[in-house]
Amino acid sequence: MREIYLDYNATTPIDPRVTEAMAPFLSDRFHNPSSLYQKSKITKKAIEDSREKLATLIGAAPKEIIFTGGGSESDNHAIKGIAFSLMKKGKHLITSSIEHHAVLHTCKFLEKIGFDVTYLPVDRYGIVNPDSVRKTIRDDTILVSIMYANNEIGTMEPIKEISEITREKGVIFHTDAVQAVGKIPINVNDLGVDLLSLSAHKFYGPKGVGALYIRKMLRIESLLHGGMQERGKRAGTENIAGIVGAGKAAEIAMEEMGEEKDKIKPLRDKLENELIKRIPEIIINGHPSNRLYNTLNIAIKYIEGEGMLTFLDFEGISVSSGSACASGSLDPSHVLLAVGVPIEHAHGSLRFSLGKYNNYKDIDKVIEVLPPIVEKLRSISPLWGKR
Amino acid sequence: MLDYSEKVIEEFRNPKNMGEIKDADGIGQVGNPTCGDMMWIYIKVRDGILTDVKFKTFGCVAAIATSSKVTQMVLNKPIDEALKITNKAVAEALDGLPTVKMHCSLLAEEGIKAAIEDYFKKKDKKEG
């Protein structure tokens, strides 16, 4: 059975051109870029070429990019790095209630060691009100961290409006852009952010490599101390194959992003419209229009997400769910609860996130098999009969 | 997906005894939709024997599988035997459940007990 993969926000398959670019660095080109012989120049240069490609993708200068071990490390670095370098100035941070756990749990850790964090609420579409950022900034606020696009519901935040406020107030602004980079055009200077996190495996690159954009002249403490790699900002011998892969993926995204959107958005829209037509009592989560073009999050009332996910899995369809059961915890998705989805409906959520290898056949299959799955589970559910 | 046993998957895929009993002698309603699990068990009793058992469940794979399993385990059994069913026995009959899902088997045990309790309550009222 052919897999119908619809979980691109979780991770993406590696583009074969990326694998090809990485291959030499997993065999002959193994030399430590910090060494002094000629062979090391090859690996050193490969890293710098990659840095340039990533910089181009987000409109930054190469010197403003450091490579990391992925999106979570980038988020940790940005938040802890600023907290530790500015703790004498202040100990207040601002973020939103729908951030990825890489941001939320980092903030929780900082609270444990004496920092003060404000978690801003969002509206029913998941949008942070820039005005609430303005009102929450205090004299001791050192960092605002708001994600560019939400991984679960796809809602995009008003980053530019928020950066105008942080600029005016002289507060550093970080954005976790892991779900946005590679999908939509991004320019750090237009956005006005000081720090930006990205991850290669979200745009057809390898796992275990990401980057942090650090605006020129911004002082930030390191997360990993040791050697002088990444200009002293991130110690450890570089993951060269991964970095080369990230660069290649960035280069491809830069060239093909537009056509990917033109291909994926109609697929997502068809899926959304047909499911609304064919399944009664469902809710679309996230913003109706200001949403990543590949993401569809729905709550199907009166049934639970893991059961649907499992039946879809039997059909070879891979999706994810915000239900507690699917996450292995007792609470459903914090994002769905933050946008005000009633808890019993949050348990019945499904996330479809599409990518460049999907086609209409994939979507038609979901449209065909999901309604009977829902009907079956609803026939078992005591809530359906009693609604 | 969680690491479910083949028996759990089979039970989930083709649940037995699913539905309601219109003139049930006892109904057990346990769990709560906000917790993500809710189980209703219907029983029919004749001469102290559970002659029919049905369920309706809102919940995950494990909740549906344990509902189906527990109804089969108590069907045609005397009440005192049905009351001895433990969540551990239900889990074992399914070749085990992932640790995070053990609470689902507890719901199955509680559902059967609640249905029997309801049966006695109604019986007392009738005879009362």
Side-chain angles (χ1 to χ4, degrees):
Chain A
M1 183 165 45
R2 193 178 88 88
E3 183 195 8
I4 296 176
Y5 185 75
L6 295 169
D7 203 14
Y8 281 78
N9 287 5
T11 192
T12 61
I14 302 190
D15 188 301
R17 291 167 288 180
V18 171
T19 318
E20 197 186 328
M22 290 170 72
F25 297 90
L26 293 164
S27 60
D28 297 351
R29 299 184 192 169
F30 62 89
H31 301 84
N32 191 322
S34 300
S35 298
L36 298 177
Y37 25 81
Q38 291 190 48
K39 292 277 190 196
S40 291
K41 284 187 187 156
I42 297 173
T43 43
K44 178 91 190 145
K45 184 170 182 302
I47 292 173
E48 295 318 312
D49 287 351
S50 237
R51 197 185 309 282
E52 209 173 309
K53 288 170 185 167
L54 274 180
T56 306
L57 182 62
I58 60 168
K63 277 185 178 173
E64 295 174 308
I65 301 288
I66 65 161
F67 287 107
T68 67
S72 289
E73 184 188 323
S74 297
D75 286 340
N76 270 264
H77 193 149
I79 297 166
K80 289 176 187 163
I82 291 301
F84 293 152
S85 70
L86 292 182
M87 57 199 290
K88 290 209 174 90
K89 181 182 172 239
K91 287 194 162 187
H92 180 235
L93 295 86
I94 299 170
T95 188
S96 85
S97 50
I98 62 163
E99 298 295 314
H100 190 273
H101 284 140
V103 168
L104 287 180
H105 290 173
T106 301
C107 288
K108 290 281 174 205
F109 162 76
L110 289 174
E111 281 184 285
K112 261 203 311 208
I113 59 168
F115 287 85
D116 186 13
V117 182
T118 303
Y119 301 90
L120 294 174
V122 292
D123 69 11
R124 67 196 186 99
Y125 300 122
I127 291 183
V128 174
N129 182 348
D131 237 21
S132 71
V133 176
R134 179 187 292 280
K135 284 180 191 141
T136 314
I137 291 177
R138 320 189 302 218
D139 290 343
D140 63 338
T141 304
I142 51 174
L143 179 73
V144 172
S145 179
I146 304 288
M147 73 198 325
Y148 195 110
N150 184 270
N151 47 311
E152 291 188 36
I153 56 177
T155 296
M156 295 193 277
E157 300 298 338
I159 299 300
K160 208 168 168 175
E161 281 99 312
I162 295 169
S163 82
E164 277 163 19
I165 296 163
T166 55
R167 281 279 160 91
E168 181 195 319
K169 301 272 190 181
V171 177
I172 294 164
F173 184 25
H174 165 248
T175 188
D176 169 0
V178 163
Q179 290 295 345
V181 172
K183 291 193 184 98
I184 51 175
I186 283 182
N187 183 298
V188 286
N189 293 312
D190 289 349
L191 283 178
V193 296
D194 302 299
L195 295 149
L196 178 145
S197 301
L198 66 91
S199 171
H201 78 100
K202 304 292 192 191
F203 54 95
Y204 312 97
K207 292 162 187 63
V209 58
L212 179 62
Y213 158 78
I214 305 173
R215 180 173 294 287
K216 204 169 118 195
M217 307 293 280
L218 183 71
R219 287 172 58 101
I220 180 164
E221 188 55 75
S222 296
L223 197 60
L224 295 183
H225 299 91
M228 285 305 290
Q229 291 89 353
E230 300 300 291
R231 308 198 312 144
K233 288 196 167 79
R234 205 270 188 179
T237 298
E238 298 87 340
N239 168 12
I240 300 162
I243 289 170
V244 168
K248 187 66 190 177
E251 185 185 84
I252 295 169
M254 192 72 196
E255 281 168 21
E256 300 178 359
M257 201 186 289
E259 61 186 88
E260 278 172 29
K261 181 185 174 179
D262 291 344
K263 182 186 173 193
I264 296 166
K265 190 176 183 299
L267 294 178
R268 193 277 314 263
D269 290 346
K270 179 174 184 190
L271 180 64
E272 179 170 335
N273 294 332
E274 289 298 321
L275 291 182
I276 290 173
K277 235 186 274 170
R278 289 164 194 242
I279 304 174
E281 305 218 36
I282 68 175
I283 310 168
I284 305 295
N285 298 312
H287 198 279
S289 57
N290 191 22
R291 170 160 47 113
L292 287 175
Y293 59 80
N294 78 318
T295 305
L296 172 63
N297 188 311
I298 53 177
I300 301 184
K301 292 188 191 177
Y302 312 113
I303 52 177
E304 197 276 337
E306 193 204 26
M308 286 187 275
L309 187 155
T310 305
F311 273 124
L312 287 170
D313 193 29
F314 293 154
E315 303 281 347
I317 300 166
S318 306
V319 302
S320 72
S321 167
S323 82
C325 283
S327 70
S329 76
L330 289 175
D331 299 317
S333 149
H334 67 284
V335 175
L336 297 181
L337 298 184
V339 300
V341 175
I343 190 163
E344 64 269 34
H345 299 158
H347 284 295
S349 75
L350 282 183
R351 179 189 70 183
F352 301 90
S353 49
L354 284 60
K356 66 180 178 183
Y357 300 120
N358 289 129
N359 54 38
Y360 276 105
K361 262 169 110 178
D362 296 344
I363 300 311
D364 291 343
K365 173 91 177 172
V366 176
I367 293 166
E368 177 201 326
V369 303
L370 186 56
I373 290 172
V374 170
E375 209 172 301
K376 174 164 183 171
L377 288 168
R378 279 180 170 169
S379 76
I380 303 178
S381 170
L383 298 170
W384 178 245
K386 308 284 166 197
R387 75 193 184 279
Chain B
M1 193 164 68
L2 278 162
D3 198 9
Y4 287 121
S5 70
E6 274 174 36
K7 281 191 184 167
V8 171
I9 291 297
E10 175 49 32
E11 210 65 52
F12 168 71
R13 223 176 174 150
N14 298 302
K16 311 280 184 318
N17 304 321
M18 189 192 92
E20 294 172 29
I21 301 174
K22 287 274 175 266
D23 54 345
D25 295 322
I27 302 174
Q29 302 185 343
V30 291
N32 184 320
T34 59
C35 305
D37 278 319
M38 185 175 174
M39 198 180 288
W40 291 8
I41 303 269
Y42 301 79
I43 55 170
K44 196 87 189 137
V45 184
R46 176 166 271 184
D47 301 330
I49 307 268
L50 299 178
T51 52
D52 197 6
V53 185
K54 291 244 169 358
F55 79 91
K56 278 216 158 180
T57 292
F58 164 81
C60 63
V61 172
I64 290 171
T66 52
S67 306
S68 168
K69 194 75 208 171
V70 81
T71 55
Q72 293 166 68
M73 288 169 81
V74 300
L75 184 64
N76 294 323
K77 293 272 156 53
I79 282 179
D80 54 341
E81 226 172 281
L83 282 171
K84 283 187 201 138
I85 288 280
T86 62
N87 72 312
K88 230 182 122 207
V90 177
E92 270 168 18
L94 289 165
D95 287 346
L97 285 172
T99 317
V100 292
K101 297 290 184 176
M102 278 307 283
H103 69 277
C104 299
S105 62
L106 199 60
L107 216 55
E109 176 191 326
E110 287 168 355
I112 292 294
K113 288 185 172 156
I116 294 173
E117 207 174 291
D118 184 55
Y119 159 72
F120 280 125
K121 236 187 259 168
K122 283 180 179 148
K123 196 171 158 230
D124 286 351
K125 236 186 204 166
K126 244 191 252 166
E127 292 170 1

